[in-house]
Amino acid sequence: MTFQDYLVNLILSGVMIIGAYQFYFYTQRHPLRKEIVWNSPIDEKIPFRPRWSWVYSFLYYPAILYLNLIATNHRHFNMMAFSFLMLLFMQMLFFWLFPVSTPPHWRSINTGKTPSEWFLKFVQKFDQASNCFPSMHVSVATLTALHALPSLGIAAFLFPILIALSCVFTKQHYLIDLPAGAALGGFAYWLYLLVV
């Protein structure tokens, strides 16, 4: 592909990311039932580490956009993009039919006094405490890693591991959300392989 092809794909990827969030926020604001809040003693013992908010947000998007560089042709790019749309549809079904929220006191831990805490509070202004299960951060990171596996090898899985750690240390997710997200991302990749 030419430089212009990569540039157009990059712009399309940005539009897809912004567009996907509209569906994410819609399901967050219009759940079909009352949100569930789990009482999890194990999750309560995980410390709040606000510095992980930078991994949670800033590692996430460049890693996803990296896939633009490994697209070998237009069909490859389209099929990868389609796999993320399939994943988004599955995530929306979970968020609508099985809404899960983190406990309110997890957000009150954040005083907003450090730059990391301030940034996390900024993220949380847009992202409510719901849409937890399964973790969309982990599902997208897992799908991204599976697409990047041929070019990066096993190192590709550092991305979902770091994202999973950031999910729990920022108190944005329960532990159970992580393997559920990874499984959903893996399932989306399996569907992608069927289509390809």
Side-chain angles (χ1 to χ4, degrees):
M1 291 197 299
T2 66
F3 172 77
Q4 290 87 347
D5 292 328
Y6 285 113
L7 183 60
V8 168
N9 288 349
L10 187 64
I11 292 168
L12 289 173
S13 296
V15 170
M16 277 185 59
I17 290 170
I18 293 167
Y21 271 110
Q22 305 321 304
F23 292 103
Y24 174 86
F25 291 134
Y26 181 84
T27 57
Q28 197 169 61
R29 294 181 184 116
H30 302 92
L32 296 181
R33 52 178 268 185
K34 189 175 178 357
E35 296 155 1
I36 299 165
V37 177
W38 286 326
N39 178 19
S40 172
I42 295 172
D43 286 295
E44 293 293 344
K45 291 181 180 178
I46 297 172
F48 174 57
R49 299 281 185 254
R51 288 184 182 166
W52 281 88
S53 63
W54 305 105
V55 173
Y56 186 77
S57 289
F58 282 117
L59 175 64
Y60 193 62
Y61 301 106
I64 296 166
L65 294 175
Y66 166 75
L67 297 182
N68 286 278
L69 299 177
I70 64 170
T72 54
N73 53 49
H74 294 298
R75 184 174 190 276
H76 186 199
F77 172 81
N78 289 338
M79 290 298 105
M80 283 195 295
F82 185 68
S83 71
F84 283 94
L85 290 176
M86 288 189 297
L87 177 60
L88 174 63
F89 176 74
M90 291 185 288
Q91 287 280 176
M92 286 176 59
L93 287 177
F94 272 99
F95 296 155
W96 257 333
L97 302 174
F98 193 69
V100 176
S101 181
T102 56
H105 69 272
W106 283 11
R107 293 206 168 195
S108 65
I109 298 169
N110 187 352
T111 61
K113 291 179 180 176
T114 68
S116 298
E117 290 178 327
W118 177 88
F119 176 66
L120 185 58
K121 272 194 178 292
F122 173 75
V123 170
Q124 290 173 338
K125 277 184 184 179
F126 303 97
D127 190 10
Q128 299 171 12
S130 58
N131 281 9
C132 286
F133 182 85
S135 167
M136 191 167 176
H137 261 65
V138 173
S139 69
V140 169
T142 301
L143 181 56
T144 302
L146 289 166
H147 281 300
L149 191 60
S151 64
L152 295 179
I154 199 76
F157 289 106
L158 285 174
F159 176 46
I161 290 169
L162 288 171
I163 290 298
L165 289 170
S166 75
C167 287
V168 291
F169 284 135
T170 56
K171 307 303 273 184
Q172 292 285 100
H173 284 279
Y174 299 95
L175 275 173
I176 196 168
D177 302 338
L178 311 182
L184 198 62
F187 182 65
Y189 187 73
W190 178 74
L191 290 177
Y192 159 82
L193 292 178
L194 287 181
V195 172
V196 170

